Amino acid sequence: MSDLSAFPITGKWPAQHPDRIQLYSLPTPNGVKASIMLEECGLAYEPHRVDFATNDQLTPEFISLNPNNKIPALIDPDGPGGQPLTLWESGAILIYLAEKTGKFLPQDAAARYHTIQWLMWQMGGVGPMMGQLGFFHKFAGKEYEDKRPRDRYVAESRRLLGVLDRHLEGKDWIMGSAYTIADIAVFPWVRNLIGFYEAGELVGYADFANVDRVLKAFVARPAVQRGLLIPAPPKAQD
C-alpha cells in the first residue's frame, strides 16, 4: 500500500486508494484532457474535485502540489523508478501518461514530434485564444461596450479553426489514422467553444466541416464520454 501522507494535498483530499493515480481536477477543457487520457489508457485513478466556486485551487493544500494554482494536477504513486511523481500542466500530463503506458503517442520519432507539435499548438494557441473568447463573449467581458477585444479573439479562434480544418482534410484524426494525445488536447476546447461558450455562430463554426466531423468522432468514444464527466459534481444532500 502506497503512503501519500507526505503530500499536504492529501490532507484536504484524502486518498481512499493511495495505490492509484490521484487526479485533482474539474471538468473544464484542460481538466478533461487528463481524465479522458486516464480513461483511454485504462489506468486506475482516484479523482478529486477542485471546486472553483470555493476557490479550492487557491488553498495552501492545492498550491503545495501546483504552485501555479491551476488544474489539472496529479500524483502518481508509481512514478519513474517506482517513486511517487507529482505533475501539473495538462500537456505535460498527457505526454507523461502516454510514455508511461506506451499509448497515444507514436513510437516513430518524426510522428512523435509532429504529435507533440499539435499538442503545443493547442496549448499555445487554441486554449488561450478560445478561453479569452469565452471571457469576452459569455462571462464578465461581455459587458464591455468596446467589442474590439472580443472581435480580436473571434478572428484568431476562427483562424485556428481554419488551420485545423485544412489539416484534417482526408484524415480520421490529427495524425491521420492514429488517435493521439493531440486529439485529446484539441477537441475538448473545440467542444467547449461551440457548447459551453455558445460561440459557434460567432466564429462561423458551420464553415469547418472537417473539424465538426472529427469532433463528433471524438465525442462518440466511450472513454471520452466518461472522461468529460470527471470529476463528478458533489452529490446533493437530502
Side-chain angles (χ1 to χ4, degrees):
M1 180 70 69
S2 301
D3 181 7
L4 301 179
S5 61
F7 298 96
I9 196 167
T10 63
K12 183 172 178 64
W13 291 278
Q16 301 300 315
H17 304 279
D19 55 323
R20 302 179 185 179
I21 290 173
Q22 303 295 304
L23 174 67
Y24 306 90
S25 191
L26 198 65
T28 67
N30 283 333
V32 299
K33 292 181 201 174
S35 54
I36 289 171
M37 183 63 173
L38 287 161
E39 290 288 332
E40 292 279 15
C41 292
L43 289 168
Y45 71 103
E46 181 178 350
H48 303 278
R49 186 178 178 89
V50 180
D51 199 335
F52 291 172
T54 52
N55 288 324
D56 282 349
Q57 76 278 16
L58 301 178
T59 59
E61 293 89 348
F62 186 79
I63 291 174
S64 72
L65 181 62
N66 182 0
N68 196 40
N69 60 272
K70 302 289 183 183
I71 58 95
L74 61 74
I75 303 172
D76 183 357
D78 184 26
Q83 298 300 308
L85 174 76
T86 64
L87 200 61
W88 45 275
E89 277 296 334
S90 58
I93 289 171
L94 288 177
I95 293 172
Y96 171 69
L97 294 175
E99 292 186 335
K100 179 181 178 72
T101 61
K103 296 180 178 180
F104 309 116
L105 184 59
Q107 296 299 308
D108 173 76
R112 172 186 170 83
Y113 284 114
H114 284 156
T115 303
I116 294 173
Q117 165 186 272
W118 283 100
L119 169 62
M120 298 302 174
W121 176 79
Q122 180 277 306
M123 295 179 65
V126 169
M129 296 301 105
M130 293 183 182
Q132 292 295 333
L133 173 54
F135 173 79
F136 284 104
H137 178 59
K138 182 167 183 174
F139 297 109
K142 70 181 180 181
E143 305 299 332
Y144 297 180
E145 292 185 10
D146 186 349
K147 296 305 179 185
R148 286 175 295 179
R150 186 204 66 177
D151 292 346
R152 170 182 172 84
Y153 293 114
V154 168
E156 184 62 6
S157 295
R158 181 173 170 82
R159 186 191 72 81
L160 291 164
L161 287 169
V163 171
L164 182 60
D165 196 73
R166 290 187 294 273
H167 176 74
L168 289 172
E169 181 67 35
K171 298 182 179 71
D172 294 330
W173 302 105
I174 289 174
M175 288 302 297
S177 60
Y179 175 75
T180 68
I181 58 173
D183 302 293
I184 295 172
V186 169
F187 286 104
W189 275 103
V190 177
R191 175 180 177 270
N192 206 65
L193 177 72
I194 65 173
F196 183 67
Y197 287 164
E198 302 172 343
E201 184 175 349
L202 193 63
V203 299
Y205 182 74
D207 295 337
F208 306 108
N210 290 318
V211 174
D212 189 57
R213 167 179 56 81
V214 180
L215 173 63
K216 288 175 178 174
F218 176 75
V219 174
R221 295 177 67 91
V224 171
Q225 293 176 16
R226 295 191 300 270
L228 287 171
L229 301 176
I230 297 172
K235 293 181 180 179
Q237 299 296 317
D238 294 332

